[in-house]
C-alpha cells in the first residue's frame, strides 16, 4: 500500500497546486516507458507548479534505477541524474511520499555528499505505484538559493502526480501484453490452420 501523509493544506496554495496538477496529470498519465516526450512535459508542469528547482522521474529497470526524465528550471543539464541512496531507501522502506524541509538540519542526510554536495535544501520524493509494487520514484527539490521549504501542499501534489504516472505505466504495460498476446494468437492460428488457395 502506498500512502501520502494526510495533513492540513493551505487553501490558496492548495488551489495553485490543483491548477498545476490539472496541467500535468493528462501528460503524466498518458506516457509510456518507450515514449518520454509527454512525461517530460508533465514533469516540467509539476516542477513549475510546485515552485521546485528541479525534478526527475526514475523507473525501476532490471534491478536498477533509470532516469527517464529530468528537468531544471535553471537550465542546468540533468542528464545522468542519480538519486541519493538515502532518499531512495527512505521511499522504498516507507512506501509513501517523503519530505525533508531542510536537508542541512535533517539527521537522515548527515554526511551525505549526494545531497549536500548538490546544495539541495528541500526535497520531496514519492513512490510510483504499479501493479507489482513500486515501479519508480518521482523526485523534486529546491536548492540553497531558494530558502522556502516545501510544505504539505507540495508533498500532497507530488504523491498524487506519482500515482498518475504509475497508472499510465500500468495501462501501457497491459496494452503491451495484450498486443503481444494477440500477435501470438495470430501466429498460432496461421501455423495450425494453413490457408491453401489457388489464384491466377
Amino acid at each position: 500500500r502506498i500512502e501520502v501523509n494526510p495533513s492540513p493544506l493551505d487553501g490558496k496554495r492548495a488551489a495553485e497546486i490543483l491548477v498545476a496538477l490539472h496541467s500535468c496529470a493528462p501528460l503524466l498519465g498518458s506516457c509510456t516507458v518507450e515514449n518520454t516526450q509527454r512525461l517530460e512535459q508533465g514533469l516540467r508542469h509539476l516542477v513549475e507548479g510546485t515552485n521546485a528547482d528541479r525534478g526527475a522521474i526514475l523507473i525501476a529497470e532490471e534491478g536498477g534505477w533509470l532516469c527517464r526524465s529530468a528537468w531544471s528550471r535553471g537550465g542546468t543539464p540533468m542528464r545522468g541524474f542519480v538519486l541519493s541512496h538515502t532518499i531512495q531507501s527512505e521511499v522504498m522502506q516507507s512506501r509513501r511520499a517523503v519530505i525533508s524541509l531542510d536537508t542541512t538540519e535533517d539527521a537522515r542526510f548527515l554526511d551525505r555528499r549526494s545531497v549536500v554536495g548538490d546544495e539541495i535544501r528541500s526535497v520531496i520524493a514519492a513512490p510510483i505505484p504499479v501493479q507489482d509494487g513500486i515501479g519508480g520514484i518521482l523526485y523534486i527539490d529546491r536548492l540553497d538559493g531558494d530558502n522556502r521549504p516545501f510544505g504539505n501542499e507540495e508533498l500532497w501534489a507530488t504523491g498524487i502526480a506519482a500515482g498518475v504516472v504509475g497508472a499510465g505505466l500500468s495501462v501501457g504495460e497491459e496494452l503491451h501484453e495484450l498486443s503481444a498476446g494477440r500477435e501470438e494468437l495470430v501466429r498460432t492460428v496461421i501455423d495450425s490452420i494453413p490457408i491453401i488457395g489457388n489464384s491466377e
Side-chain angles (χ1 to χ4, degrees):
R1 195 172 112 197
I2 297 173
E3 305 173 350
V4 177
N5 281 328
S7 303
L9 302 177
D10 173 76
K12 181 175 182 280
R13 185 65 187 130
E16 295 169 351
I17 291 293
L18 283 173
V19 170
L21 284 173
H22 179 72
S23 298
C24 74
L27 296 164
L28 295 176
S30 63
C31 69
T32 62
V33 172
E34 293 81 15
N35 181 8
T36 60
Q37 183 178 3
R38 291 177 67 84
L39 192 68
E40 291 169 2
Q41 292 172 347
L43 178 62
R44 179 174 181 168
H45 282 295
L46 179 66
V47 169
E48 291 176 341
T50 55
N51 292 322
D53 287 314
R54 308 183 307 170
I57 296 174
L58 298 100
I59 304 297
E61 291 190 4
E62 298 178 2
W65 294 92
L66 181 62
C67 182
R68 281 291 178 185
S69 180
W71 189 75
S72 168
R73 291 177 79 174
T76 306
M78 292 184 66
R79 292 189 181 185
F81 174 83
V82 178
L83 182 65
S84 158
H85 180 71
T86 305
I87 295 171
Q88 174 190 325
S89 297
E90 184 82 14
V91 170
M92 296 303 289
Q93 288 175 8
S94 68
R95 300 180 63 81
R96 64 194 325 169
V98 297
I99 185 171
S100 175
L101 300 178
D102 187 342
T103 61
T104 63
E105 297 180 2
D106 192 326
R108 294 173 295 181
F109 301 110
L110 292 177
D111 299 325
R112 301 292 193 267
R113 292 183 179 269
S114 59
V115 174
V116 178
D118 286 339
E119 300 177 340
I120 298 168
R121 178 54 58 96
S122 193
V123 171
I124 296 176
I128 296 173
V130 292
Q131 292 174 339
D132 299 330
I134 296 176
I137 295 175
L138 174 55
Y139 168 92
I140 61 174
D141 66 24
R142 287 183 178 159
L143 304 179
D144 270 345
D146 188 347
N147 292 321
R148 295 172 301 113
F150 286 125
N152 292 328
E153 296 78 19
E154 290 83 8
L155 177 65
W156 175 78
T158 306
I160 296 298
V164 171
V165 173
L169 292 176
S170 295
V171 168
E173 186 177 330
E174 288 178 3
L175 289 175
H176 179 72
E177 290 174 1
L178 285 173
S179 178
R182 185 187 65 128
E183 290 175 7
E184 181 63 29
L185 179 60
V186 168
R187 278 196 297 273
T188 301
V189 170
I190 290 173
D191 291 343
S192 61
I193 309 173
I195 298 173
I196 301 172
N198 197 355
S199 171
E200 293 179 1

